[in-house]
């Protein structure tokens, strides 16, 4: 085991606690030593020789639809792969996440063990990739091929991350690497749209691993040198206005829910700042509906709103503005109009500390591989741990892609081996390396 920097400390069970203050030079030295190990070279060798296997896995999983709240069939497919690859404690949790463990010794520490050791003993590093796509049930997701490209809905987001995760597991098992800190692998549900990060919320807040995950890496889409270290926060609402309705001529003057919504949207568009000195905030009306015919005053109308910001306080401020604006407009209309505002999604805004150990590791790995680190802001599964103060990154799984979230989505895995080496080195630096 390598030495520890001033921002790290040894813990029972091996590995490093990811504290801030890890020196850049120390991280680079540590990564150079790690990359020179025979076991790591064996893992790299597997990745080099078995890119066709990753492609086969990717084609197979794409043929299994995973619409929002309908990921079970694909999750069960992953349980089979996890078992074939030799993970332990393979199971579905209560939310539908497919889970499996690697490393950490034969005896799994209990929660009482962790309490006795201040919560450090028996902690896991989470490596995840989300199962779900944005495409509704009934969408044909059967993939096709065009040269190197894989064509099909979800082929990049997130079949690239899912197949990359299987490749990492296979490489670790082939090399005989036994992590000193156990790795929890998760093919998780609920990352897209109204899924509202439900898979991650369960893992970190309610499930059996709650309080036992010390750091997280989420595999997300294509790219080689990118990573998300800042979580873009969002609040999503369904705003509904109801009224008595009526005939467009004989009942003229009755409150019209569509018009009331429209007035509110115009006012909010003028008030919500698109950009600021410290935080960018946006508001989008993504879907509006209501009414029964052209010559009827609607009895009900609703709109879906997506509010996003890099600053959690801006999210709160503009949420209040949404309530205040619609309450005033509907209240002034009279005639029995009523308002209901429902929160249908909430993603926390958060950021990884600039001197976090996991970030120092990533930069040292990129320097070792000759990559230029590109840090990004995004709305990913990493939002949840980041908001809880748990070090986390969402990292690209290699290759290139396009047409994301459209039926014309595509993915080209050419060159993804470099990104998978990058992921492997980051993960191994977090957990420590054991084995023959």
């Amino acid at each position: 085991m390598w030495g520890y920097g001033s921002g790290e400390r040894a813990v029972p069970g091996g590995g490093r606690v990811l504290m801030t203050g890890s020196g850049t030079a120390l991280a680079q030295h540590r990564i150079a030593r790690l990359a020179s190990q025979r076991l790591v070279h064996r893992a790299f060798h597997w990745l080099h020789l078995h890119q066709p296997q990753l492609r086969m896995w990717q084609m197979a999983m794409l043929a299994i639809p995973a619409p929002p709240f309908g990921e079970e069939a694909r999750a069960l497919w992953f349980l089979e792969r996890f078992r074939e690859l030799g993970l332990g404690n393979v199971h579905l949790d209560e939310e539908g996440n497919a889970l499996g463990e690697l490393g950490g010794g034969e005896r799994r520490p209990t929660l009482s063990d962790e309490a006795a050791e201040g919560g450090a003993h028996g902690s896991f590093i989470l490596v995840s990739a989300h199962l779900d796509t944005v495409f509704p049930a009934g969408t044909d997701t059967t993939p096709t091929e065009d040269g190197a490209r894989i064509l099909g809905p979800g082929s990049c987001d997130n079949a690239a991350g899912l197949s990359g995760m299987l490749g990492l597991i296979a490489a670790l098992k082939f090399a005989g690497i036994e992590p000193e800190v156990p790795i929890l692998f998760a093919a998780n549900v609920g990352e897209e749209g109204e899924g509202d990060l439900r898979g991650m919320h369960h893992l970190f807040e309610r499930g059996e691993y709650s309080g036992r995950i010390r750091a997280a890496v989420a595999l997300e889409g294509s790219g080689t040198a990118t990573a998300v270290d800042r979580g873009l926060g969002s609040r999503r609402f369904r705003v509904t206005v109801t009224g008595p309705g009526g005939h467009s001529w004989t009942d003229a003057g009755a409150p019209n829910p569509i018009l009331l919504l429209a007035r509110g949207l115009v006012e909010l568009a003028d008030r919500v700042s698109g950009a600021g000195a410290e935080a960018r905030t946006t508001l989008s009306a993504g879907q509006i509906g209501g009414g029964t015919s052209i010559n009827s005053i609607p009895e009900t109308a609703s709109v879906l709103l997506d509010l996003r910001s890099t600053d959690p306080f801006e999210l709160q401020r503009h949420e209040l503005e949404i309530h205040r604006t619609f309450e005033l407009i509907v209240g002034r209309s009279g005639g029995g109009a009523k308002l209901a505002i429902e929160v249908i999604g909430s993603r926390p805004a958060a950021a990884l500390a600039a001197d976090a150990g996991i970030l120092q590791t990533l930069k040292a790995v990129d320097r070792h591989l000759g990559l230029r680190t590109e840090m990004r802001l995004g709305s990913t599964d990493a939002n949840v741990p980041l908001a809880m103060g748990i070090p986390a990154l969402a990292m690209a799984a290699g290759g290139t892609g396009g047409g994301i979230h459209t039926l014309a989505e595509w993915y080209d895995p050419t060159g993804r081996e470099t990104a998978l080496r990058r992921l492997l080195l980051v993960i191994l630096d977090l957990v420590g390396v054991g084995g023959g």
Side-chain angles (χ1 to χ4, degrees):
M1 190 65 188
W2 47 86
Y4 300 91
S6 60
E8 305 161 342
R9 63 179 173 88
V11 296
R16 295 177 294 117
V17 170
L18 300 177
M19 304 169 67
T20 60
S22 175
T24 301
L26 178 62
Q28 291 170 0
H29 176 69
R30 199 171 60 241
I31 294 303
R33 291 185 60 188
L34 177 63
S36 69
Q37 293 191 28
R38 180 180 59 84
L39 293 180
V40 176
H41 278 278
R42 280 179 57 83
F44 286 171
H45 187 62
W46 191 96
L47 292 172
H48 178 68
L49 293 180
H50 291 84
Q51 290 301 311
Q53 177 63 68
L54 271 66
R55 188 181 186 93
M56 290 174 60
W57 280 328
Q58 195 159 345
M59 296 289 289
M61 75 179 69
L62 279 170
I64 306 171
F69 300 95
E71 306 98 329
E72 184 178 7
R74 189 177 285 186
L76 292 174
W77 183 89
F78 266 87
L79 290 187
E80 295 178 8
R81 304 292 81 72
F82 285 173
R83 292 189 183 100
E84 289 174 357
L85 291 170
L87 294 186
N89 195 20
V90 174
H91 65 289
L92 285 183
D93 68 13
E94 296 89 340
E95 196 64 45
N97 300 311
L99 305 174
E101 300 175 16
L102 176 65
E106 295 182 359
R107 177 180 179 273
R108 181 68 59 225
T110 65
L111 292 178
S112 60
D113 290 332
E114 293 190 23
E117 297 292 346
H121 190 54
S123 296
F124 289 83
I125 299 297
L126 174 67
V127 177
S128 67
H130 69 85
L131 289 163
D132 56 320
T133 70
V134 299
F135 304 97
T139 303
D140 184 3
T141 62
T142 305
T144 58
E145 296 177 279
D146 180 11
R149 289 188 176 188
I150 298 172
L151 312 177
S155 55
C156 183
D157 184 12
N158 189 34
L162 289 163
S163 57
M165 183 172 66
L166 290 178
L168 292 174
I169 297 169
L172 288 166
K173 294 297 290 186
F174 172 79
I177 294 173
E178 284 293 323
E180 296 171 10
V181 174
I183 304 173
L184 172 64
F185 288 98
N188 63 278
V189 300
E191 194 272 347
E192 298 286 8
E194 293 184 30
D196 203 31
L197 307 184
R198 62 191 177 92
M200 286 293 113
H201 280 295
H202 183 82
L203 280 170
F204 283 91
E205 298 168 5
R206 301 181 296 276
E208 64 195 283
Y209 296 96
S210 174
R212 305 178 71 192
I213 301 173
R214 70 169 69 168
V217 177
L219 278 64
E220 179 74 43
S222 63
T224 298
T226 58
V228 174
D229 66 338
R230 291 162 293 154
L232 176 62
S234 67
R235 295 278 280 176
R236 291 168 176 172
F237 311 92
R238 179 181 288 109
V239 182
T240 303
V241 177
T242 58
H247 191 278
S248 61
W249 175 258
T250 58
D251 295 305
N256 187 311
I258 291 179
L259 294 180
L260 295 176
L261 284 178
R263 289 173 190 163
L265 293 175
V266 170
E267 288 194 23
L268 286 169
D270 292 336
R271 292 178 186 175
V272 176
S273 174
E278 298 296 331
R280 183 185 178 201
T281 303
T282 64
L283 177 66
S284 173
Q287 187 177 16
I288 191 167
T292 56
S293 69
I294 192 172
N295 60 337
S296 300
I297 298 172
E299 293 181 73
T300 184
S302 62
V303 63
L304 300 183
L305 298 180
D306 179 72
L307 176 67
R308 299 189 181 217
S309 182
T310 57
D311 186 335
F313 298 105
E314 287 297 295
L315 284 176
Q316 294 175 14
R317 184 170 75 85
H318 287 296
E319 180 174 354
L320 290 174
E321 189 69 24
I322 289 170
H323 280 267
R324 184 181 302 112
T325 298
F326 281 112
E327 286 168 359
L328 287 173
I329 289 172
V330 173
R332 289 196 301 257
S333 69
K338 296 180 180 180
L339 171 70
I341 300 179
E342 176 189 3
V343 177
I344 59 174
S346 180
R347 300 189 179 203
L352 184 65
D355 58 351
I358 192 173
L359 193 55
Q360 297 292 337
T361 289
L362 173 62
K363 291 181 178 179
V365 168
D366 282 356
R367 178 165 181 170
H368 177 79
L369 295 175
L371 301 174
R372 182 176 179 180
T373 307
E374 182 183 349
M375 306 310 301
R376 292 183 177 179
L377 168 73
S379 180
T380 71
D381 279 325
N383 282 45
V384 172
L386 285 174
M388 298 175 68
I390 298 172
L393 290 168
M395 294 180 61
T400 56
I404 309 301
H405 290 190
T406 75
L407 296 177
E409 189 169 344
W410 60 270
Y411 176 71
D412 184 347
T414 302
R416 73 166 145 189
E417 180 185 344
T418 300
L420 296 180
R421 288 189 178 200
R422 178 189 192 224
L423 282 159
L424 189 66
L425 288 173
V426 168
I427 293 165
L428 291 179
D429 189 51
L430 301 183
V431 299
V433 179

